[in-house]
Amino acid sequence: MIHKHDVLIVGAGLAGLRAAVELAGKADVAVLSKVFPTRSHSGAAQGGIAAALGNEEEDHVEWHIFDTVKGSDYLGDQDAIEMMVSEAPEVIIELEHMGVPFSRTKEGKIAQRQFGGHTRPKVGADGKETRVAIQRACYAADRTGHVILHTLYEQCVKHNVHFYSEYYVVSLIVKDGVCRGLVAFDIQTGELHTFHAKAVMFGTGGYGRAWKITSNAYANTGDGVAIAYRAGIPLEDMEFVQFHPTGLWKLGILVTEGARGEGGYLKNKNGERFMKNYAPTVMELAPRDMVTRSITTEILEGRGIDGKDYVHLDLTHVGEATLKERLPEIIGFAKTYVGVDPVKAPIPIQPTAHYSMGGIPTSLFGEVYLDEKGTILTGFYAAGECACISVHGANRLGTNSLLDGVVHGRRTGKQIAKFLQTAEFSELPENADTADRARIDELFASTNFKESYHHIKDTLRDNMMAKAGVYRNEKDLKEMKQIIHELREKYKNVGLRDKSKNFNTELMEVLELGHLLEFSEVVVEGAIARQECRGAHWRTDFEKRDDTNWMKHTFAFRTEKGIELKYKPVTVTKYQPMERKY
Amino acid sequence: MQVTFSIQRYDSSKDKKPYRQEFKLDVEPTDRILDCLDRIKWDFEGSLTYRRSCSHGICGSDAININGKNMLACQVLIQDIKKKRIKIDPIPGMPIIKDLVVDTTDFFAKYEVVKPYLIAKNPPPKERFQSVADRALIDEAVNCILCGACTSSCPSMWGNPNYLGPAAMLKAYRFAFDSRDEAPAEHLEAIDTSDGVWRCHTIFNCVEACPKEINLTWHISQLKKKMVEREL
């Protein structure tokens, strides 16, 4: 079956839905999503969305820009950061007007709280200027992503946006430098559909599912980045994957940084607030990469609780009333999953794979780059976590991801509207779905289940955690490369046990695994090549950041000979790199 | 410890009627029911089908019926159940697509009936102000994850499938009681019908079923109160 729309948006998280709202009424826009829209993982974001509103204390866009640049370990492109942060107050106000139920200050304004790496200057008694934590994160208790996601979906309902819910995209249709549509299957019927469009936008989210301990949903298998990569688009900075400091022990479920924003302590087995040894000025509110390394060092040096691989997040001194008002979900998670009441006892936590800084390279307007020189692929756009602009560089600051999704979803929507003023439908190639059809038919026809797909997936995730996680080195990374190579061979012999086309989630899991293997190789290749320590990419066989040789973005190309790496310089405007201390 | 899962199986594309299949599994007390379903699917029965995504009770994908009660598979641990035999079924009252996956088309159509969006014109240059007390009025209602556990558990809905159901009522409340909404009547009118709010007979099944501990019946009673006041 062939469907035709002006614009197809893939992914119904913050970026996709915000773009859809922007385009609704201006064009025939349809959104495809592998899960029902309100199930998208943006909804799991807890702590807040950053904007220098100054509702709680003096704040300036300039301060937010500086924090984001420094937080990115100077790999963020400063023009992109400046644009995103400058638009932040406006987009937050817009969200409020759409109906987002933010928590409120006593005066009835949008409430804001502290978050890691967000600071203001402060002159100490000795006359020296330091930076201390600032209240910049606009929040709705610890359900900020949930309420924004639902509000954007409500706006889509209001504006009659067309949804293809539970459709799984398998490939992009690109010919002669023009994106013409995509191929997807309807999960409910198993039928393959071809979608013809003037513009396609990906807002497909991150790729954290390749690591064993992760805060990411089952759905976050990096489908978008892998599909784009297979369509000939390079991937940028894939080696940068953020481990959030506080995941529930063993499960990886996110415990918001807002818990530390509300005053929570991190303690080792001696009850010591160990962050004083790593980031004495902002302590627990240092950026995530630093807190994560600090926790990991404590654990590796035997100071985890009972010598195990976790430390404590202690909220017991914050007070029951504050916790119940501002962190109700966290209380619920801790009680349900680890049997701890945070009002009375500390929560066991460990770092968890959380956010993908890398992804599909785009311009400031969401246009997708075909190379490191800035050649644009006509008709294809990306925004949100699947994209790399790059505003987060080597390490994203907390609450800048929801901001990224909303700002760039909106701006990309506007750019697509502009493109549509002159764009026509480009002809669909004949049999655009032949290869996908053959692949799926082959899986259904497989008569034996020679290799277990979940065994391959577990092996990948265990090893990515051990060898391409918080601390990395050449030996481990090269072993990882070999492991992926072997797993890819095994993957060729994976078959389906479920032969029914009706809601076949086994088929989806098998295709997802193909995506995990595809991009994991790119992550590892980029990590082997990058011989320095920067943000979330920390090599124990190198001592520090190397601005002379590595102030540049990785561009990974899929070639017949394997992965080819090229590089693009970082855009620096006002802020020269300096040592990153907190 | 070993537990036995008795799971209702049904593929609407080929099975004439549902049947049950049993699986014995060695489990840890802290395993989520969702973890157990994954192990059954991955190790024993590749065709076992269920929805899931976030795995910690915020996306609302995996509402299922466990030992007769609607719950989220990711939010219930083995130790919470205290039985060695665990009966798993799809949530009732909705057509089954396959195994634990139900058709939610009607559920979301009913959600749309209540005009589930803020109605407000002429926004100010900055945010609309809302007092802490006014915000508190909708605090529980905005937590809804649209999992469907409440509506599916409602005997009034079983009796009259046209009833809009508690989830749609809660959504109507969320906007009708939002101090920023300029047209509460539009949300209220949508439920002031024979298939609307008056079908709720305060049975409280929805309250018991809600994984987010939302007191739906209280919210529905507030809607009724507001509508009576309006008519006076």
Side-chain angles (χ1 to χ4, degrees):
Chain A
M1 194 187 288
I2 296 181
H3 308 266
K4 208 168 172 179
H5 296 281
D6 292 335
V7 190
L8 294 168
I9 295 172
V10 183
L14 259 52
L17 292 186
R18 185 61 191 81
V21 169
E22 198 60 38
L23 285 158
K26 296 178 195 155
D28 168 19
V29 53
V31 180
L32 286 89
S33 174
K34 71 198 274 197
V35 294
F36 184 83
T38 61
R39 319 285 185 225
S40 305
H41 204 51
S42 297
Q46 298 167 357
I49 177 165
L53 295 182
N55 282 357
E56 306 269 5
E57 58 184 312
E58 182 186 351
D59 197 2
H60 299 278
V61 165
E62 193 68 21
W63 295 355
H64 186 185
I65 295 172
F66 172 75
D67 287 337
T68 304
V69 171
K70 186 179 171 188
S72 80
D73 218 349
Y74 295 91
L75 191 72
D77 287 315
Q78 296 180 14
D79 54 344
I81 292 172
E82 192 172 327
M83 235 172 122
M84 175 181 81
V85 171
S86 304
E87 284 173 31
E90 186 184 329
V91 303
I92 304 291
I93 296 300
E94 253 178 21
L95 287 176
E96 196 282 332
H97 291 164
M98 288 178 192
V100 172
F102 285 109
S103 294
R104 299 288 168 158
T105 66
K106 282 193 192 93
E107 305 83 41
K109 296 179 189 173
I110 295 170
Q112 298 185 277
R113 61 159 58 120
Q114 296 181 350
F115 242 79
H118 290 281
T119 65
R120 65 181 168 85
K122 185 186 174 187
V123 180
D126 55 1
K128 277 191 191 158
E129 190 182 283
T130 55
R131 296 190 82 91
V132 294
I134 192 170
Q135 297 172 85
R136 185 180 287 148
C138 309
Y139 65 93
D142 50 0
R143 306 178 175 112
T144 314
H146 165 77
V147 296
I148 299 176
L149 178 70
H150 278 250
T151 303
L152 289 174
Y153 181 65
E154 289 156 7
Q155 290 298 306
C156 288
V157 169
K158 181 180 175 187
H159 296 294
N160 293 311
V161 171
H162 189 88
F163 283 94
Y164 292 92
S165 196
E166 301 190 317
Y167 273 65
Y168 187 62
V169 176
V170 286
S171 68
L172 274 176
I173 303 171
V174 178
K175 195 185 162 197
D176 304 330
V178 179
C179 178
R180 298 149 193 258
L182 52 83
V183 180
F185 72 86
D186 177 351
I187 297 167
Q188 200 175 318
T189 63
E191 290 305 319
L192 217 50
H193 296 244
T194 299
F195 290 81
H196 191 191
K198 294 175 186 169
V200 173
M201 176 190 144
F202 272 13
T204 52
Y207 49 87
R209 233 24 225 186
W211 286 264
K212 183 187 178 191
I213 301 292
T214 179
S215 64
N216 282 202
Y218 284 83
N220 301 138
T221 46
D223 303 323
V225 292
I227 290 166
Y229 185 56
R230 286 176 184 167
I233 294 152
L235 297 179
E236 182 176 354
D237 290 343
M238 290 291 284
E239 62 270 32
F240 293 99
V241 176
Q242 178 173 81
F243 280 71
H244 192 289
T246 57
L248 280 188
W249 185 41
K250 290 185 181 170
L251 294 164
I253 295 171
L254 176 66
V255 179
T256 175
E257 195 168 307
R260 282 170 282 135
E262 297 295 348
Y265 299 150
L266 291 171
K267 292 179 176 173
N268 61 20
K269 73 172 184 186
N270 305 320
E272 178 191 25
R273 280 180 73 189
F274 55 83
M275 283 310 297
K276 70 177 191 294
N277 305 322
Y278 303 92
T281 62
V282 289
M283 299 288 284
E284 282 86 356
L285 290 175
R288 290 177 179 169
D289 60 327
M290 296 179 99
V291 180
T292 285
R293 277 194 298 280
S294 307
I295 294 170
T296 307
T297 301
E298 291 295 304
I299 290 168
L300 290 175
E301 292 179 358
R303 292 187 295 278
I305 308 299
D306 298 333
K308 293 186 183 151
D309 59 343
Y310 69 93
V311 297
H312 275 149
L313 170 62
D314 189 349
L315 299 171
T316 53
H317 58 285
V318 175
E320 187 168 355
T322 304
L323 292 179
K324 285 193 168 157
E325 181 202 327
R326 300 196 186 165
L327 300 165
E329 288 285 320
I330 299 307
I331 296 178
F333 293 153
K335 282 185 180 168
T336 302
Y337 299 112
V338 290
V340 165
D341 180 357
V343 173
K344 297 184 188 127
I347 310 171
I349 57 94
Q350 73 182 127
T352 180
H354 183 58
Y355 188 84
S356 314
M357 270 77 73
I360 301 167
T362 70
S363 74
L364 299 176
F365 302 94
E367 301 149 307
V368 171
Y369 288 139
L370 274 172
D371 56 37
E372 77 288 4
K373 298 185 192 82
T375 310
I376 280 166
L377 170 57
T378 305
F380 186 48
Y381 300 80
E385 193 172 345
C386 72
C388 183
I389 300 181
S390 147
V391 285
H392 308 303
N395 174 64
R396 174 175 70 75
L397 289 190
T399 70
N400 269 352
S401 63
L402 293 184
L403 182 64
D404 174 3
V406 179
V407 165
H408 296 111
R410 173 183 183 252
R411 202 191 299 147
T412 304
K414 287 183 196 294
Q415 186 68 21
I416 292 172
K418 206 187 271 182
F419 170 74
L420 290 176
Q421 287 172 0
T422 54
E424 301 287 340
F425 281 97
S426 302
E427 206 178 331
L428 272 187
E430 267 182 57
N431 306 320
D433 63 350
T434 305
D436 297 314
R437 197 170 289 280
R439 168 73 179 130
I440 289 171
D441 286 349
E442 178 193 29
L443 283 170
F444 272 112
S446 56
T447 48
N448 56 349
F449 195 65
K450 283 180 245 166
E451 294 286 351
S452 139
Y453 68 87
H454 87 88
H455 178 70
I456 296 174
K457 185 168 60 183
D458 286 351
T459 308
L460 175 75
R461 297 179 71 205
D462 287 349
N463 283 289
M464 286 294 276
M465 196 73 198
K467 298 179 191 298
V470 176
Y471 287 120
R472 305 162 171 186
N473 63 63
E474 185 175 276
K475 181 174 163 285
D476 283 352
L477 288 166
K478 286 195 165 161
E479 280 171 17
M480 189 67 227
K481 187 177 168 175
Q482 183 57 30
I483 291 168
I484 296 173
H485 178 73
E486 287 161 16
L487 293 177
R488 291 192 79 158
E489 285 304 309
K490 285 188 176 179
Y491 180 69
K492 290 177 183 165
N493 294 319
V494 160
L496 295 180
R497 291 165 297 180
D498 187 356
K499 305 292 187 190
S500 167
K501 288 206 160 181
N502 183 30
F503 220 99
N504 192 321
T505 53
E506 192 178 42
L507 169 63
M508 193 161 81
E509 288 191 35
V510 167
L511 296 175
E512 286 172 340
L513 174 58
H515 296 151
L516 290 173
L517 291 164
E518 184 84 59
F519 73 73
S520 292
E521 202 174 6
V522 182
V523 170
V524 170
E525 197 70 39
I528 292 172
R530 187 173 283 273
Q531 300 190 332
E532 64 159 351
C533 301
R534 186 185 294 273
H537 172 70
W538 211 264
R539 288 276 299 258
T540 53
D541 42 354
F542 293 91
E543 280 177 5
K544 55 182 196 272
R545 200 175 76 199
D546 175 359
D547 291 330
T548 314
N549 296 303
W550 288 101
M551 276 283 284
K552 57 189 182 184
H553 299 291
T554 307
F555 271 62
F557 295 77
R558 192 176 192 259
T559 74
E560 279 173 12
K561 284 177 268 171
I563 300 168
E564 188 184 347
L565 298 179
K566 292 182 183 176
Y567 293 92
K568 178 186 174 181
V570 173
T571 304
V572 177
T573 55
K574 291 181 199 157
Y575 305 97
Q576 289 307 315
M578 54 181 208
E579 195 190 354
R580 196 158 153 256
K581 273 188 178 168
Y582 288 88
Chain B
M1 63 191 244
Q2 198 180 61
V3 294
T4 303
F5 286 87
S6 164
I7 303 180
Q8 179 176 299
R9 306 290 316 273
Y10 176 68
D11 182 338
S12 60
S13 71
K14 59 179 193 199
D15 296 328
K16 284 208 177 73
K17 57 179 189 183
Y19 59 98
R20 302 200 77 82
Q21 197 175 355
E22 290 199 353
F23 303 93
K24 284 189 170 54
L25 218 58
D26 286 317
V27 297
E28 295 292 325
T30 52
D31 284 343
R32 292 169 282 202
I33 297 301
L34 179 60
D35 299 323
C36 302
L37 293 176
D38 279 343
R39 282 188 43 214
I40 294 170
K41 181 176 181 70
W42 292 338
D43 292 338
F44 304 109
E45 185 50 76
S47 66
L48 180 67
T49 302
Y50 44 96
R51 289 190 179 100
R52 37 80 157 143
S53 194
C54 78
S55 76
H56 62 276
I58 193 69
C59 78
S61 298
D62 62 349
I64 59 170
N65 190 281
I66 303 169
N67 283 345
K69 288 183 180 168
N70 287 356
M71 301 178 181
L72 299 181
C74 64
Q75 207 174 278
V76 181
L77 312 187
I78 291 290
Q79 65 195 17
D80 302 330
I81 294 185
K82 301 184 176 70
K83 279 187 183 159
K84 290 275 170 87
R85 189 178 168 80
I86 301 175
K87 198 169 153 280
I88 306 268
D89 290 275
I91 54 173
M94 300 188 193
I96 303 168
I97 295 171
K98 189 174 174 183
D99 298 338
L100 306 176
V101 173
V102 295
D103 187 345
T104 54
T105 310
D106 184 61
F107 175 75
F108 285 107
K110 288 170 174 170
Y111 157 90
E112 295 196 9
V113 166
V114 305
K115 300 192 178 176
Y117 41 81
L118 191 80
I119 303 176
K121 293 188 181 105
N122 308 320
K126 290 211 162 182
E127 67 262 56
R128 288 190 176 83
F129 282 22
Q130 184 171 46
S131 70
V132 171
D134 282 342
R135 172 62 177 76
L137 276 181
I138 56 167
D139 200 39
E140 269 189 53
V142 300
N143 297 342
C144 172
I145 57 173
L146 299 174
C147 67
C150 59
T151 296
S152 148
S153 76
C154 175
S156 300
M157 201 275 292
W158 301 339
N160 171 15
N162 294 326
Y163 172 40
L164 294 174
M169 294 303 129
L170 186 73
K171 196 53 71 177
Y173 174 100
R174 182 252 171 275
F175 291 103
F177 282 79
D178 188 325
S179 61
R180 301 169 298 169
D181 196 288
E182 292 164 7
E186 289 195 37
H187 308 292
L188 296 174
E189 272 156 24
I191 56 169
D192 191 7
T193 66
S194 59
D195 294 324
V197 72
W198 311 110
R199 284 271 167 201
C200 168
H201 301 304
T202 54
I203 300 165
F204 287 93
N205 270 20
C206 52
V207 179
E208 204 182 328
C210 178
K212 305 309 284 185
E213 297 180 357
I214 300 169
N215 188 337
L216 287 113
T217 308
W218 180 86
H219 287 83
I220 295 172
S221 73
Q222 296 303 302
L223 286 166
K224 287 177 176 169
K225 217 167 129 188
K226 191 156 188 154
M227 284 160 73
V228 171
E229 284 165 7
R230 207 164 61 99
E231 277 156 23
L232 290 173

